Amino acid sequence: NTIAIAQQYGAKVSHFEWCNDFAAARNYACSIPSSQWILTLDADEELAILNPDWTFQLQSVSEDVQAFAIGLRGDNASETEMQTIRLFRHNPAMQYRDRYHEYLTYQDQALHSGHPLVQPLTGVEIIHYGYADNILVEKSTRRIPVLEQIRSTDGLSLMLLWTLSGMYEATQALDKAQDCYEEAWERLL
């Protein structure tokens, strides 16, 4: 009931026809708002407010800063936190790239947490709830066809091949996982 609940609170709801391209979906979503800043969260994530005054950083930031890196952690406290760029200026020069494991670019330059145009954001963190075993199997089942389509048309990087093998393992398709490992080994040699 996500759409109905969002509309109940006055949210503007738009639809994107899924085309096995995470960057295309994010770019479409980023084209809709009229705000100065855009915050992206996945359906299995929560923005945790650690300091209610965190938005002050948006008002006092230099014009050179195009994005903020936010701490992202799993809901399991033992998982290592990483920095991810999820808050950025609403600017047509900001575009997502790559169909899977999409990343943000500014003027066709990849952004990352150490980039001079990116500043760390304090007072908030993103909690990701998608790593539990039961969720991982369901996610893997949905995402395997996406990676296989990319694999057949463009080929997969070693990182995405490793990701695909892990998804096959999660879904107990061990022969397919083995095929991925063998392909990776051959490419490494």
Side-chain angles (χ1 to χ4, degrees):
N1 298 323
T2 302
I3 293 172
I5 293 169
Q7 288 172 330
Q8 200 174 2
Y9 286 93
K12 177 182 172 185
V13 176
S14 295
H15 297 276
F16 174 80
E17 188 170 333
W18 181 243
C19 62
N20 289 342
D21 188 329
F22 288 91
R26 288 218 192 255
N27 287 332
Y28 171 77
C30 291
S31 73
I32 297 170
S34 58
S35 60
Q36 182 181 1
W37 292 95
I38 294 176
L39 172 69
T40 62
L41 294 173
D42 292 344
D44 58 357
E45 293 175 338
E46 170 188 358
L47 183 67
I49 308 299
L50 306 174
N51 180 344
D53 296 329
W54 72 273
T55 57
F56 175 75
Q57 297 163 84
L58 303 179
Q59 298 156 2
S60 62
V61 69
S62 158
E63 286 295 318
D64 294 340
V65 173
Q66 296 299 311
F68 285 95
I70 302 173
L72 172 88
R73 67 174 177 85
D75 61 336
N76 180 343
S78 67
E79 293 173 11
T80 304
E81 181 177 291
M82 62 181 250
Q83 296 292 307
T84 184
I85 299 173
R86 296 294 190 82
L87 182 64
F88 51 92
R89 292 187 190 275
H90 186 200
N91 182 334
M94 292 288 201
Q95 291 287 305
Y96 280 95
R97 299 281 185 262
D98 276 3
R99 292 164 48 189
Y100 195 89
H101 283 174
E102 71 283 0
Y103 60 92
L104 191 62
T105 64
Y106 175 70
Q107 297 177 342
D108 292 323
Q109 183 181 68
L111 296 177
H112 52 83
S113 61
H115 194 283
L117 300 178
V118 178
Q119 184 173 310
L121 188 67
T122 59
V124 294
E125 68 180 0
I126 297 171
I127 304 171
H128 184 86
Y129 294 97
Y131 297 125
D133 288 341
N134 61 329
I135 295 171
L136 217 46
V137 170
E138 187 242 322
K139 273 179 148 176
S140 295
T141 302
R142 279 194 334 261
R143 292 181 175 184
I144 285 171
V146 176
L147 285 172
E148 283 294 1
Q149 181 185 24
I150 296 169
R151 186 181 189 189
S152 68
T153 57
D154 305 326
L156 293 176
S157 67
L158 284 174
M159 181 189 78
L160 289 182
L161 194 56
W162 180 263
T163 300
L164 180 59
S165 65
M167 289 179 181
Y168 278 131
E169 282 187 20
T171 59
Q172 297 302 305
L174 301 181
D175 55 333
K176 292 182 178 183
Q178 183 65 32
D179 289 343
C180 292
Y181 290 131
E182 287 174 10
E183 181 182 333
W185 181 250
E186 288 298 318
R187 288 171 54 188
L188 284 170
L189 292 178

